[in-house]
Amino acid sequence: MESKKMANAVLNPLKFRAAVFDTINSEDTGFSNYSYWRSTIRTFFKNKAVVVLVALVFAMIVMSIFYPIFSDVDPTEVSLFPLDWNLRPSAKHWFGTDTLGRDIWARAWYGCRNSFLLGFCIALSDVGFGMIAGALWGYNKKLDPFMIELYNIMTNIPSTVYLVLLAYIMNTSYLTLFISMASRGWIVEARFFRNRILSLRDSEYNIASKCLGTPMHRIATRNIIPHIVSLIIMEAALCIPYSIGSEVFMGFVGVGMPVDAITLGNIVNQGRASFTLHPYQMLLPTALLCIITVAFYVIGNKFADASDPRNHI
């Protein structure tokens, strides 16, 4: 009796009716407007500190590009009047002048431009060549013995000794600094991308694609590259401050750029000589260097977090 009442209740046409099949709307049931890059950018800029740092870095890059173009101050001009030497920061000289009467504000922005250019070139070389070498290393198992030994040899040599030796062997110049840093950084990036590509290569969807006869270039462009683009951007963002910091360090040990070259490393190194009497000559350019370094590191790490799909909403 109870089961009959339940059957009548279930089949009651006043309470239940059959759904009508809609051929048009049925196509949209599995559709999602989710976009990986839109979600990544939204998650990345959700942090207010990141927005401030990105705006600050963008402003510094724009300033370093356009200040040398529109400024009429010569950063290499030496004053013959002792009264213009070692001036403290003022409305005329925002960062003061150095021991030769040169405007430190102008030299700082010229130095930022050269240091940014050097950092971007090294990042492009390290990440670009490292990504290619890592992809070949990850897909070709025959390269494992050679690449692992090369990696162990190059990374076991202290980076300081390596950079200093190359600087002594070659004449100090932008090309020397670029070669000394780029010739070692790519192998570290190659190992990083190799490990990431190995995990992607053995994924179920890539194994299924191989079994179905999908060409390798299609697997690489559709299944591999979209997963490592965010890593490429992150590694490039982290490589830029490392390159600038290495240039500053080599200037400190006396094997960096030539004395007449205007870079942040040379400016900080020259300010160190008169730090006791005129600390602003070193502290103010160092503040710019610290802002660049911290900003790029924070931006790179936050972008790595934002590119993780688990952090997407």
Side-chain angles (χ1 to χ4, degrees):
M1 189 69 179
E2 291 292 334
S3 60
K4 186 178 294 185
K5 288 182 179 180
M6 291 178 63
N8 292 334
V10 171
L11 299 177
N12 190 343
L14 298 178
K15 295 182 178 180
F16 300 95
R17 62 184 181 85
V20 179
F21 179 75
D22 191 339
T23 56
I24 298 177
N25 292 331
S26 63
E27 298 294 330
D28 297 334
T29 55
F31 173 76
S32 173
N33 61 351
Y34 171 80
S35 171
Y36 171 76
W37 285 109
R38 185 168 60 246
S39 180
T40 298
I41 294 173
R42 183 175 63 248
T43 306
F44 178 67
F45 284 106
K46 188 181 296 183
N47 192 323
K48 294 182 180 180
V50 170
V51 176
V52 173
L53 289 176
V54 170
L56 184 61
V57 169
F58 180 77
M60 294 182 71
I61 293 176
V62 171
M63 185 70 174
S64 65
I65 293 174
F66 290 101
Y67 181 85
I69 297 175
F70 296 103
S71 175
D72 56 354
V73 180
D74 186 0
T76 62
E77 184 179 0
V78 177
S79 177
L80 301 178
F81 300 98
L83 294 177
D84 293 334
W85 301 348
N86 299 319
L87 293 178
R88 293 184 175 276
S90 61
K92 184 178 180 181
H93 304 286
W94 287 14
F95 281 8
T97 59
D98 61 8
T99 54
L100 297 177
R102 298 173 296 188
D103 188 84
I104 301 178
W105 171 261
R107 290 178 61 80
W109 290 115
Y110 275 84
C112 282
R113 183 186 64 173
N114 295 333
S115 295
F116 272 131
L117 180 61
L118 180 66
F120 279 115
C121 289
I122 293 175
L124 181 64
S125 172
D126 285 357
V127 177
F129 189 64
M131 179 188 63
I132 296 173
L136 295 175
W137 187 2
Y139 269 100
N140 194 343
K141 295 181 180 180
K142 296 180 180 180
L143 292 177
D144 256 352
F146 171 75
M147 293 297 291
I148 289 176
E149 290 299 325
L150 180 63
Y151 174 83
N152 291 334
I153 293 172
M154 296 188 69
T155 54
N156 283 329
I157 301 175
S159 59
T160 303
V161 176
Y162 182 80
L163 294 176
V164 172
L165 282 177
L166 281 182
Y168 272 120
I169 294 172
M170 305 172 67
N171 294 327
T172 55
S173 64
Y174 282 101
L175 181 61
T176 301
L177 199 61
F178 173 78
I179 292 175
S180 61
M181 285 191 277
S183 60
R184 190 176 187 272
W186 70 270
I187 191 68
V188 179
E189 299 295 337
R191 177 65 180 268
F192 173 79
F193 285 111
R194 176 251 187 188
N195 293 338
R196 181 59 179 166
I197 290 173
L198 277 178
S199 63
L200 293 174
R201 185 189 67 180
D202 297 332
S203 299
E204 292 82 358
Y205 53 88
N206 280 328
I207 296 175
S209 296
K210 291 179 183 179
C211 294
L212 293 173
T214 306
M216 184 57 65
H217 70 274
R218 186 173 178 84
I219 295 176
T221 55
R222 295 296 181 91
N223 297 356
I224 303 296
I225 292 179
H227 289 273
I228 64 173
V229 169
S230 60
L231 299 177
I232 295 171
I233 299 174
M234 180 196 70
E235 287 297 306
L238 295 178
C239 188
I240 292 171
Y242 168 76
S243 304
I244 297 175
S246 298
E247 183 267 323
V248 173
F249 169 76
M250 293 181 70
F252 263 101
V253 298
V255 292
M257 299 299 299
V259 180
D260 57 342
I262 306 176
T263 63
L264 288 177
N266 278 352
I267 296 172
V268 173
N269 190 35
Q270 292 163 6
R272 181 187 58 169
S274 56
F275 179 77
T276 309
L277 298 175
H278 311 286
Y280 60 89
Q281 295 182 7
M282 178 181 173
L283 293 179
L284 295 178
T286 303
L288 283 178
L289 177 65
C290 292
I291 291 173
I292 294 172
T293 304
V294 173
F296 271 104
Y297 271 114
V298 173
I299 290 172
N301 284 295
K302 291 297 182 182
F303 188 84
D305 295 337
S307 62
D308 189 347
R310 292 173 295 182
N311 295 329
H312 296 186
I313 298 176

